[in-house]
Amino acid sequence: MKKILIDNNQNSYKANLHCHTTVSDGHWTPEKVKEEYKKHGYSVVAYTDHDVLIPHGELKDDTFLPLNGFEAEILSRWEPFPKSPRCCHICYIALEEDNLTQPLWHREKYLFANAVNYKDKVKFDESEPDFERHYTPECITHMMREGREKGFFVTYNHPAWSMEDYSDYIRYDGMHAMEMCNYGCVVEGYPEYNARVYDDMLRSGKRIYCIDADDNHNQLKDSFGGFTVIKADKLEYRSITRSLESGNFYASQGPEICELSYEDGKVHVTSSPASRIFCIFGMQRGGYAEAEPGSSLTEATFRLVGDEKYFRITVVDAAGNKADSNAYFLDELTK
């Protein structure tokens, strides 16, 4: 039976799921972020300022949806940010619009930049003790799992900028997704296209998604370079976050994945004009299609042998920009 994994007939919403404003260490106000991102075709922005969950429901209109969130950083040495030699950053996006209670809160620690001025606006469970952050796999896993349990979509961010390697991230558990591309870090010169990290995690047994995001602070030209295309019925808060939970989205630096389907051991993809399309299996074999010189591809079909645990698609345009699907696992598709 044919299974449509990315549906070209479903509504598409361009989203930035990692964003900083003047609420913490960004250089644009939340209002300015909305204005500029709408100019570039975005319908969704997750406001993930450092360490403070501040909603921006006043920015919502028929064509723009703000998602409520925050980013937490766990440093290997607690010095004035960002001087820690190694760290882990995690974004939390509330799945319900009215879920405004920030988990993992500490009444005195961890705020910096302008976030300190928003401390009294944060809602937290006053019956909970202050949460102490420790740069250990156990603490980071606890923070990811706690975020999920408290109703947040949890992402693992920019491992290259964080100076983390396989021995670090492979021990983290509880994330919904990781950043395949963090454009703000790319602008700063970091190798923050993380296909190898994603495959490492998939091969280790983690069934997670991948997103692209800007992580924009708007001091440099760090906006509009990495985004997530969310497929949803309508531009409403819970419709969008349900699609995040179910993996009904893909990550992109520019190209479009128009439709992706699986049927009888074959994967078929249609896309915007591309120079190459890859089907990646996480093994020493994969699928590859390349356009003839001077032309482009807009579709490809790949046949699976049957020993592939998962597949994912990468579309590459003439400029080298990529779009990446989530991973799809054969044992789930063939049930």
Side-chain angles (χ1 to χ4, degrees), residues 125-156:
D125 186 344
E126 296 188 14
S127 68
E128 293 285 335
D130 290 337
F131 183 80
E132 297 280 354
R133 303 177 190 176
H134 302 284
Y135 185 68
T136 65
E138 294 77 16
C139 182
I140 290 165
T141 289
H142 173 80
M143 293 179 70
M144 290 177 173
R145 290 176 176 173
E146 182 77 2
R148 290 180 75 119
E149 290 174 7
K150 298 294 186 182
F152 290 80
F153 184 80
V154 179
T155 66
Y156 170 61

PDB file of all heavy atoms in Angstrom, residues 125-156:
ATOM      1  N   ASP A 125       6.429  26.373  38.678  1.00  0.00           N
ATOM      2  CA  ASP A 125       5.775  25.632  39.751  1.00  0.00           C
ATOM      3  C   ASP A 125       6.507  25.936  41.059  1.00  0.00           C
ATOM      4  O   ASP A 125       7.619  25.448  41.289  1.00  0.00           O
ATOM      5  CB  ASP A 125       5.808  24.138  39.446  1.00  0.00           C
ATOM      6  CG  ASP A 125       5.025  23.310  40.455  1.00  0.00           C
ATOM      7  OD1 ASP A 125       4.705  23.822  41.538  1.00  0.00           O
ATOM      8  OD2 ASP A 125       4.752  22.131  40.151  1.00  0.00           O
ATOM      9  N   GLU A 126       5.887  26.727  41.912  1.00  0.00           N
ATOM     10  CA  GLU A 126       6.543  27.168  43.140  1.00  0.00           C
ATOM     11  C   GLU A 126       6.712  26.039  44.152  1.00  0.00           C
ATOM     12  O   GLU A 126       7.472  26.185  45.113  1.00  0.00           O
ATOM     13  CB  GLU A 126       5.761  28.329  43.748  1.00  0.00           C
ATOM     14  CG  GLU A 126       5.752  29.560  42.853  1.00  0.00           C
ATOM     15  CD  GLU A 126       5.139  30.779  43.532  1.00  0.00           C
ATOM     16  OE1 GLU A 126       4.970  30.739  44.771  1.00  0.00           O
ATOM     17  OE2 GLU A 126       4.828  31.745  42.818  1.00  0.00           O
ATOM     18  N   SER A 127       6.045  24.928  43.930  1.00  0.00           N
ATOM     19  CA  SER A 127       6.219  23.790  44.836  1.00  0.00           C
ATOM     20  C   SER A 127       7.474  22.983  44.507  1.00  0.00           C
ATOM     21  O   SER A 127       7.906  22.140  45.300  1.00  0.00           O
ATOM     22  CB  SER A 127       4.995  22.866  44.778  1.00  0.00           C
ATOM     23  OG  SER A 127       4.910  22.213  43.515  1.00  0.00           O
ATOM     24  N   GLU A 128       8.057  23.227  43.316  1.00  0.00           N
ATOM     25  CA  GLU A 128       9.253  22.499  42.901  1.00  0.00           C
ATOM     26  C   GLU A 128      10.507  23.179  43.441  1.00  0.00           C
ATOM     27  O   GLU A 128      10.590  24.413  43.486  1.00  0.00           O
ATOM     28  CB  GLU A 128       9.338  22.439  41.376  1.00  0.00           C
ATOM     29  CG  GLU A 128       8.254  21.604  40.718  1.00  0.00           C
ATOM     30  CD  GLU A 128       8.491  20.117  40.893  1.00  0.00           C
ATOM     31  OE1 GLU A 128       9.660  19.718  41.077  1.00  0.00           O
ATOM     32  OE2 GLU A 128       7.499  19.358  40.865  1.00  0.00           O
ATOM     33  N   PRO A 129      11.514  22.396  43.840  1.00  0.00           N
ATOM     34  CA  PRO A 129      12.779  23.008  44.259  1.00  0.00           C
ATOM     35  C   PRO A 129      13.532  23.578  43.060  1.00  0.00           C
ATOM     36  O   PRO A 129      13.237  23.232  41.913  1.00  0.00           O
ATOM     37  CB  PRO A 129      13.547  21.836  44.881  1.00  0.00           C
ATOM     38  CG  PRO A 129      12.997  20.627  44.189  1.00  0.00           C
ATOM     39  CD  PRO A 129      11.542  20.935  43.940  1.00  0.00           C
ATOM     40  N   ASP A 130      14.489  24.453  43.330  1.00  0.00           N
ATOM     41  CA  ASP A 130      15.310  24.995  42.256  1.00  0.00           C
ATOM     42  C   ASP A 130      16.049  23.873  41.538  1.00  0.00           C
ATOM     43  O   ASP A 130      16.627  22.979  42.168  1.00  0.00           O
ATOM     44  CB  ASP A 130      16.336  25.979  42.814  1.00  0.00           C
ATOM     45  CG  ASP A 130      15.684  27.268  43.299  1.00  0.00           C
ATOM     46  OD1 ASP A 130      14.582  27.582  42.826  1.00  0.00           O
ATOM     47  OD2 ASP A 130      16.292  27.953  44.147  1.00  0.00           O
ATOM     48  N   PHE A 131      16.034  23.935  40.201  1.00  0.00           N
ATOM     49  CA  PHE A 131      16.709  22.889  39.429  1.00  0.00           C
ATOM     50  C   PHE A 131      18.148  23.296  39.135  1.00  0.00           C
ATOM     51  O   PHE A 131      18.403  24.347  38.550  1.00  0.00           O
ATOM     52  CB  PHE A 131      15.982  22.615  38.116  1.00  0.00           C
ATOM     53  CG  PHE A 131      16.608  21.494  37.332  1.00  0.00           C
ATOM     54  CD1 PHE A 131      16.331  20.177  37.665  1.00  0.00           C
ATOM     55  CD2 PHE A 131      17.507  21.754  36.309  1.00  0.00           C
ATOM     56  CE1 PHE A 131      16.926  19.131  36.969  1.00  0.00           C
ATOM     57  CE2 PHE A 131      18.112  20.720  35.618  1.00  0.00           C
ATOM     58  CZ  PHE A 131      17.818  19.403  35.946  1.00  0.00           C
ATOM     59  N   GLU A 132      19.080  22.456  39.527  1.00  0.00           N
ATOM     60  CA  GLU A 132      20.501  22.695  39.293  1.00  0.00           C
ATOM     61  C   GLU A 132      20.932  21.988  38.007  1.00  0.00           C
ATOM     62  O   GLU A 132      20.687  20.796  37.822  1.00  0.00           O
ATOM     63  CB  GLU A 132      21.336  22.165  40.470  1.00  0.00           C
ATOM     64  CG  GLU A 132      21.052  22.853  41.801  1.00  0.00           C
ATOM     65  CD  GLU A 132      21.762  24.198  41.933  1.00  0.00           C
ATOM     66  OE1 GLU A 132      22.571  24.541  41.031  1.00  0.00           O
ATOM     67  OE2 GLU A 132      21.513  24.890  42.929  1.00  0.00           O
ATOM     68  N   ARG A 133      21.590  22.732  37.134  1.00  0.00           N
ATOM     69  CA  ARG A 133      22.080  22.176  35.880  1.00  0.00           C
ATOM     70  C   ARG A 133      23.519  21.681  36.051  1.00  0.00           C
ATOM     71  O   ARG A 133      24.361  22.383  36.615  1.00  0.00           O
ATOM     72  CB  ARG A 133      22.044  23.232  34.773  1.00  0.00           C
ATOM     73  CG  ARG A 133      20.678  23.848  34.536  1.00  0.00           C
ATOM     74  CD  ARG A 133      20.738  24.931  33.471  1.00  0.00           C
ATOM     75  NE  ARG A 133      19.500  25.684  33.389  1.00  0.00           N
ATOM     76  CZ  ARG A 133      19.311  26.735  32.588  1.00  0.00           C
ATOM     77  NH1 ARG A 133      20.297  27.145  31.802  1.00  0.00           N
ATOM     78  NH2 ARG A 133      18.160  27.361  32.577  1.00  0.00           N
ATOM     79  N   HIS A 134      23.769  20.487  35.537  1.00  0.00           N
ATOM     80  CA  HIS A 134      25.108  19.915  35.565  1.00  0.00           C
ATOM     81  C   HIS A 134      25.429  19.375  34.176  1.00  0.00           C
ATOM     82  O   HIS A 134      24.592  18.716  33.556  1.00  0.00           O
ATOM     83  CB  HIS A 134      25.202  18.787  36.597  1.00  0.00           C
ATOM     84  CG  HIS A 134      24.853  19.211  37.991  1.00  0.00           C
ATOM     85  ND1 HIS A 134      25.707  19.950  38.779  1.00  0.00           N
ATOM     86  CD2 HIS A 134      23.719  19.015  38.719  1.00  0.00           C
ATOM     87  CE1 HIS A 134      25.129  20.177  39.951  1.00  0.00           C
ATOM     88  NE2 HIS A 134      23.918  19.627  39.930  1.00  0.00           N
ATOM     89  N   TYR A 135      26.637  19.660  33.708  1.00  0.00           N
ATOM     90  CA  TYR A 135      27.030  19.213  32.374  1.00  0.00           C
ATOM     91  C   TYR A 135      27.440  17.736  32.433  1.00  0.00           C
ATOM     92  O   TYR A 135      28.611  17.373  32.410  1.00  0.00           O
ATOM     93  CB  TYR A 135      28.157  20.081  31.824  1.00  0.00           C
ATOM     94  CG  TYR A 135      28.521  19.743  30.390  1.00  0.00           C
ATOM     95  CD1 TYR A 135      27.629  19.996  29.348  1.00  0.00           C
ATOM     96  CD2 TYR A 135      29.747  19.179  30.087  1.00  0.00           C
ATOM     97  CE1 TYR A 135      27.958  19.678  28.045  1.00  0.00           C
ATOM     98  CE2 TYR A 135      30.089  18.862  28.781  1.00  0.00           C
ATOM     99  CZ  TYR A 135      29.185  19.114  27.759  1.00  0.00           C
ATOM    100  OH  TYR A 135      29.511  18.793  26.457  1.00  0.00           O
ATOM    101  N   THR A 136      26.418  16.898  32.527  1.00  0.00           N
ATOM    102  CA  THR A 136      26.596  15.445  32.511  1.00  0.00           C
ATOM    103  C   THR A 136      25.520  14.854  31.617  1.00  0.00           C
ATOM    104  O   THR A 136      24.435  15.428  31.467  1.00  0.00           O
ATOM    105  CB  THR A 136      26.459  14.842  33.921  1.00  0.00           C
ATOM    106  OG1 THR A 136      25.104  15.036  34.376  1.00  0.00           O
ATOM    107  CG2 THR A 136      27.435  15.487  34.910  1.00  0.00           C
ATOM    108  N   PRO A 137      25.769  13.688  31.017  1.00  0.00           N
ATOM    109  CA  PRO A 137      24.733  13.051  30.207  1.00  0.00           C
ATOM    110  C   PRO A 137      23.469  12.757  31.006  1.00  0.00           C
ATOM    111  O   PRO A 137      22.358  12.856  30.470  1.00  0.00           O
ATOM    112  CB  PRO A 137      25.398  11.753  29.730  1.00  0.00           C
ATOM    113  CG  PRO A 137      26.857  12.009  29.821  1.00  0.00           C
ATOM    114  CD  PRO A 137      27.041  12.940  30.976  1.00  0.00           C
ATOM    115  N   GLU A 138      23.636  12.434  32.278  1.00  0.00           N
ATOM    116  CA  GLU A 138      22.477  12.117  33.113  1.00  0.00           C
ATOM    117  C   GLU A 138      21.593  13.345  33.303  1.00  0.00           C
ATOM    118  O   GLU A 138      20.354  13.257  33.194  1.00  0.00           O
ATOM    119  CB  GLU A 138      22.939  11.577  34.461  1.00  0.00           C
ATOM    120  CG  GLU A 138      23.656  10.244  34.405  1.00  0.00           C
ATOM    121  CD  GLU A 138      25.098  10.343  33.928  1.00  0.00           C
ATOM    122  OE1 GLU A 138      25.672  11.459  33.926  1.00  0.00           O
ATOM    123  OE2 GLU A 138      25.675   9.291  33.551  1.00  0.00           O
ATOM    124  N   CYS A 139      22.208  14.487  33.592  1.00  0.00           N
ATOM    125  CA  CYS A 139      21.425  15.703  33.806  1.00  0.00           C
ATOM    126  C   CYS A 139      20.780  16.174  32.503  1.00  0.00           C
ATOM    127  O   CYS A 139      19.607  16.558  32.485  1.00  0.00           O
ATOM    128  CB  CYS A 139      22.311  16.808  34.388  1.00  0.00           C
ATOM    129  SG  CYS A 139      21.402  18.339  34.729  1.00  0.00           S
ATOM    130  N   ILE A 140      21.532  16.136  31.404  1.00  0.00           N
ATOM    131  CA  ILE A 140      20.999  16.588  30.121  1.00  0.00           C
ATOM    132  C   ILE A 140      19.844  15.686  29.674  1.00  0.00           C
ATOM    133  O   ILE A 140      18.801  16.171  29.205  1.00  0.00           O
ATOM    134  CB  ILE A 140      22.128  16.651  29.079  1.00  0.00           C
ATOM    135  CG1 ILE A 140      23.071  17.806  29.434  1.00  0.00           C
ATOM    136  CG2 ILE A 140      21.568  16.822  27.669  1.00  0.00           C
ATOM    137  CD1 ILE A 140      24.400  17.782  28.715  1.00  0.00           C
ATOM    138  N   THR A 141      20.004  14.381  29.839  1.00  0.00           N
ATOM    139  CA  THR A 141      18.907  13.464  29.525  1.00  0.00           C
ATOM    140  C   THR A 141      17.689  13.757  30.402  1.00  0.00           C
ATOM    141  O   THR A 141      16.547  13.764  29.918  1.00  0.00           O
ATOM    142  CB  THR A 141      19.368  12.012  29.710  1.00  0.00           C
ATOM    143  OG1 THR A 141      20.291  11.684  28.670  1.00  0.00           O
ATOM    144  CG2 THR A 141      18.195  11.042  29.668  1.00  0.00           C
ATOM    145  N   HIS A 142      17.917  13.996  31.687  1.00  0.00           N
ATOM    146  CA  HIS A 142      16.806  14.343  32.578  1.00  0.00           C
ATOM    147  C   HIS A 142      16.092  15.597  32.093  1.00  0.00           C
ATOM    148  O   HIS A 142      14.849  15.653  32.082  1.00  0.00           O
ATOM    149  CB  HIS A 142      17.310  14.558  34.001  1.00  0.00           C
ATOM    150  CG  HIS A 142      16.252  15.073  34.932  1.00  0.00           C
ATOM    151  ND1 HIS A 142      15.302  14.252  35.503  1.00  0.00           N
ATOM    152  CD2 HIS A 142      15.973  16.342  35.367  1.00  0.00           C
ATOM    153  CE1 HIS A 142      14.491  14.977  36.250  1.00  0.00           C
ATOM    154  NE2 HIS A 142      14.879  16.246  36.184  1.00  0.00           N
ATOM    155  N   MET A 143      16.854  16.609  31.660  1.00  0.00           N
ATOM    156  CA  MET A 143      16.247  17.852  31.195  1.00  0.00           C
ATOM    157  C   MET A 143      15.430  17.637  29.933  1.00  0.00           C
ATOM    158  O   MET A 143      14.356  18.234  29.758  1.00  0.00           O
ATOM    159  CB  MET A 143      17.330  18.911  30.984  1.00  0.00           C
ATOM    160  CG  MET A 143      17.997  19.365  32.278  1.00  0.00           C
ATOM    161  SD  MET A 143      19.290  20.607  32.023  1.00  0.00           S
ATOM    162  CE  MET A 143      18.293  22.042  31.527  1.00  0.00           C
ATOM    163  N   MET A 144      15.924  16.805  29.032  1.00  0.00           N
ATOM    164  CA  MET A 144      15.165  16.504  27.815  1.00  0.00           C
ATOM    165  C   MET A 144      13.878  15.745  28.140  1.00  0.00           C
ATOM    166  O   MET A 144      12.799  16.094  27.659  1.00  0.00           O
ATOM    167  CB  MET A 144      16.028  15.691  26.852  1.00  0.00           C
ATOM    168  CG  MET A 144      17.165  16.473  26.230  1.00  0.00           C
ATOM    169  SD  MET A 144      18.206  15.438  25.156  1.00  0.00           S
ATOM    170  CE  MET A 144      19.276  16.692  24.426  1.00  0.00           C
ATOM    171  N   ARG A 145      13.997  14.724  28.977  1.00  0.00           N
ATOM    172  CA  ARG A 145      12.816  13.933  29.322  1.00  0.00           C
ATOM    173  C   ARG A 145      11.801  14.747  30.112  1.00  0.00           C
ATOM    174  O   ARG A 145      10.586  14.611  29.915  1.00  0.00           O
ATOM    175  CB  ARG A 145      13.249  12.701  30.118  1.00  0.00           C
ATOM    176  CG  ARG A 145      14.006  11.674  29.281  1.00  0.00           C
ATOM    177  CD  ARG A 145      14.496  10.522  30.137  1.00  0.00           C
ATOM    178  NE  ARG A 145      15.131   9.483  29.333  1.00  0.00           N
ATOM    179  CZ  ARG A 145      15.761   8.440  29.841  1.00  0.00           C
ATOM    180  NH1 ARG A 145      15.836   8.281  31.168  1.00  0.00           N
ATOM    181  NH2 ARG A 145      16.315   7.535  29.048  1.00  0.00           N
ATOM    182  N   GLU A 146      12.289  15.584  31.014  1.00  0.00           N
ATOM    183  CA  GLU A 146      11.384  16.432  31.797  1.00  0.00           C
ATOM    184  C   GLU A 146      10.624  17.386  30.889  1.00  0.00           C
ATOM    185  O   GLU A 146       9.423  17.629  31.080  1.00  0.00           O
ATOM    186  CB  GLU A 146      12.186  17.208  32.838  1.00  0.00           C
ATOM    187  CG  GLU A 146      11.361  18.089  33.759  1.00  0.00           C
ATOM    188  CD  GLU A 146      10.645  17.325  34.853  1.00  0.00           C
ATOM    189  OE1 GLU A 146      10.806  16.072  34.930  1.00  0.00           O
ATOM    190  OE2 GLU A 146       9.923  17.955  35.637  1.00  0.00           O
ATOM    191  N   GLY A 147      11.321  17.942  29.889  1.00  0.00           N
ATOM    192  CA  GLY A 147      10.647  18.809  28.936  1.00  0.00           C
ATOM    193  C   GLY A 147       9.523  18.098  28.210  1.00  0.00           C
ATOM    194  O   GLY A 147       8.414  18.635  28.056  1.00  0.00           O
ATOM    195  N   ARG A 148       9.781  16.887  27.761  1.00  0.00           N
ATOM    196  CA  ARG A 148       8.742  16.103  27.092  1.00  0.00           C
ATOM    197  C   ARG A 148       7.573  15.838  28.023  1.00  0.00           C
ATOM    198  O   ARG A 148       6.402  15.990  27.647  1.00  0.00           O
ATOM    199  CB  ARG A 148       9.305  14.762  26.611  1.00  0.00           C
ATOM    200  CG  ARG A 148      10.264  14.855  25.463  1.00  0.00           C
ATOM    201  CD  ARG A 148      10.777  13.491  25.065  1.00  0.00           C
ATOM    202  NE  ARG A 148       9.782  12.730  24.331  1.00  0.00           N
ATOM    203  CZ  ARG A 148       9.942  12.297  23.082  1.00  0.00           C
ATOM    204  NH1 ARG A 148      11.058  12.556  22.426  1.00  0.00           N
ATOM    205  NH2 ARG A 148       8.992  11.610  22.488  1.00  0.00           N
ATOM    206  N   GLU A 149       7.878  15.413  29.256  1.00  0.00           N
ATOM    207  CA  GLU A 149       6.823  15.095  30.207  1.00  0.00           C
ATOM    208  C   GLU A 149       5.969  16.310  30.548  1.00  0.00           C
ATOM    209  O   GLU A 149       4.780  16.173  30.843  1.00  0.00           O
ATOM    210  CB  GLU A 149       7.437  14.510  31.476  1.00  0.00           C
ATOM    211  CG  GLU A 149       8.024  13.118  31.281  1.00  0.00           C
ATOM    212  CD  GLU A 149       8.755  12.620  32.507  1.00  0.00           C
ATOM    213  OE1 GLU A 149       8.689  13.299  33.553  1.00  0.00           O
ATOM    214  OE2 GLU A 149       9.410  11.554  32.421  1.00  0.00           O
ATOM    215  N   LYS A 150       6.579  17.487  30.490  1.00  0.00           N
ATOM    216  CA  LYS A 150       5.858  18.717  30.805  1.00  0.00           C
ATOM    217  C   LYS A 150       5.179  19.338  29.588  1.00  0.00           C
ATOM    218  O   LYS A 150       4.658  20.450  29.661  1.00  0.00           O
ATOM    219  CB  LYS A 150       6.811  19.736  31.431  1.00  0.00           C
ATOM    220  CG  LYS A 150       7.447  19.288  32.754  1.00  0.00           C
ATOM    221  CD  LYS A 150       6.436  19.143  33.864  1.00  0.00           C
ATOM    222  CE  LYS A 150       7.130  18.849  35.198  1.00  0.00           C
ATOM    223  NZ  LYS A 150       6.162  18.660  36.303  1.00  0.00           N
ATOM    224  N   GLY A 151       5.197  18.635  28.455  1.00  0.00           N
ATOM    225  CA  GLY A 151       4.428  19.088  27.305  1.00  0.00           C
ATOM    226  C   GLY A 151       5.153  20.004  26.350  1.00  0.00           C
ATOM    227  O   GLY A 151       4.537  20.897  25.754  1.00  0.00           O
ATOM    228  N   PHE A 152       6.460  19.765  26.147  1.00  0.00           N
ATOM    229  CA  PHE A 152       7.252  20.586  25.238  1.00  0.00           C
ATOM    230  C   PHE A 152       7.870  19.726  24.140  1.00  0.00           C
ATOM    231  O   PHE A 152       8.187  18.553  24.349  1.00  0.00           O
ATOM    232  CB  PHE A 152       8.371  21.316  25.996  1.00  0.00           C
ATOM    233  CG  PHE A 152       7.881  22.398  26.905  1.00  0.00           C
ATOM    234  CD1 PHE A 152       7.371  22.097  28.165  1.00  0.00           C
ATOM    235  CD2 PHE A 152       7.902  23.733  26.513  1.00  0.00           C
ATOM    236  CE1 PHE A 152       6.910  23.093  29.013  1.00  0.00           C
ATOM    237  CE2 PHE A 152       7.439  24.727  27.351  1.00  0.00           C
ATOM    238  CZ  PHE A 152       6.941  24.419  28.599  1.00  0.00           C
ATOM    239  N   PHE A 153       8.026  20.326  22.971  1.00  0.00           N
ATOM    240  CA  PHE A 153       8.790  19.740  21.872  1.00  0.00           C
ATOM    241  C   PHE A 153      10.246  20.117  22.110  1.00  0.00           C
ATOM    242  O   PHE A 153      10.595  21.293  22.198  1.00  0.00           O
ATOM    243  CB  PHE A 153       8.299  20.297  20.535  1.00  0.00           C
ATOM    244  CG  PHE A 153       8.941  19.691  19.321  1.00  0.00           C
ATOM    245  CD1 PHE A 153       8.531  18.460  18.837  1.00  0.00           C
ATOM    246  CD2 PHE A 153       9.951  20.371  18.641  1.00  0.00           C
ATOM    247  CE1 PHE A 153       9.115  17.914  17.700  1.00  0.00           C
ATOM    248  CE2 PHE A 153      10.533  19.829  17.514  1.00  0.00           C
ATOM    249  CZ  PHE A 153      10.115  18.593  17.038  1.00  0.00           C
ATOM    250  N   VAL A 154      11.110  19.108  22.221  1.00  0.00           N
ATOM    251  CA  VAL A 154      12.477  19.303  22.710  1.00  0.00           C
ATOM    252  C   VAL A 154      13.472  19.073  21.579  1.00  0.00           C
ATOM    253  O   VAL A 154      13.463  18.015  20.934  1.00  0.00           O
ATOM    254  CB  VAL A 154      12.769  18.322  23.868  1.00  0.00           C
ATOM    255  CG1 VAL A 154      14.205  18.488  24.371  1.00  0.00           C
ATOM    256  CG2 VAL A 154      11.764  18.541  25.011  1.00  0.00           C
ATOM    257  N   THR A 155      14.358  20.054  21.341  1.00  0.00           N
ATOM    258  CA  THR A 155      15.367  19.923  20.300  1.00  0.00           C
ATOM    259  C   THR A 155      16.775  20.077  20.869  1.00  0.00           C
ATOM    260  O   THR A 155      17.007  20.871  21.788  1.00  0.00           O
ATOM    261  CB  THR A 155      15.175  20.955  19.177  1.00  0.00           C
ATOM    262  OG1 THR A 155      15.408  22.277  19.676  1.00  0.00           O
ATOM    263  CG2 THR A 155      13.777  20.880  18.600  1.00  0.00           C
ATOM    264  N   TYR A 156      17.682  19.310  20.295  1.00  0.00           N
ATOM    265  CA  TYR A 156      19.114  19.382  20.624  1.00  0.00           C
ATOM    266  C   TYR A 156      19.785  20.271  19.573  1.00  0.00           C
ATOM    267  O   TYR A 156      19.643  20.030  18.371  1.00  0.00           O
ATOM    268  CB  TYR A 156      19.703  17.980  20.618  1.00  0.00           C
ATOM    269  CG  TYR A 156      21.209  17.921  20.709  1.00  0.00           C
ATOM    270  CD1 TYR A 156      21.894  18.431  21.807  1.00  0.00           C
ATOM    271  CD2 TYR A 156      21.954  17.317  19.694  1.00  0.00           C
ATOM    272  CE1 TYR A 156      23.277  18.356  21.891  1.00  0.00           C
ATOM    273  CE2 TYR A 156      23.333  17.225  19.777  1.00  0.00           C
ATOM    274  CZ  TYR A 156      23.997  17.755  20.867  1.00  0.00           C
ATOM    275  OH  TYR A 156      25.360  17.681  20.951  1.00  0.00           O
TER     276      TYR A 156
END
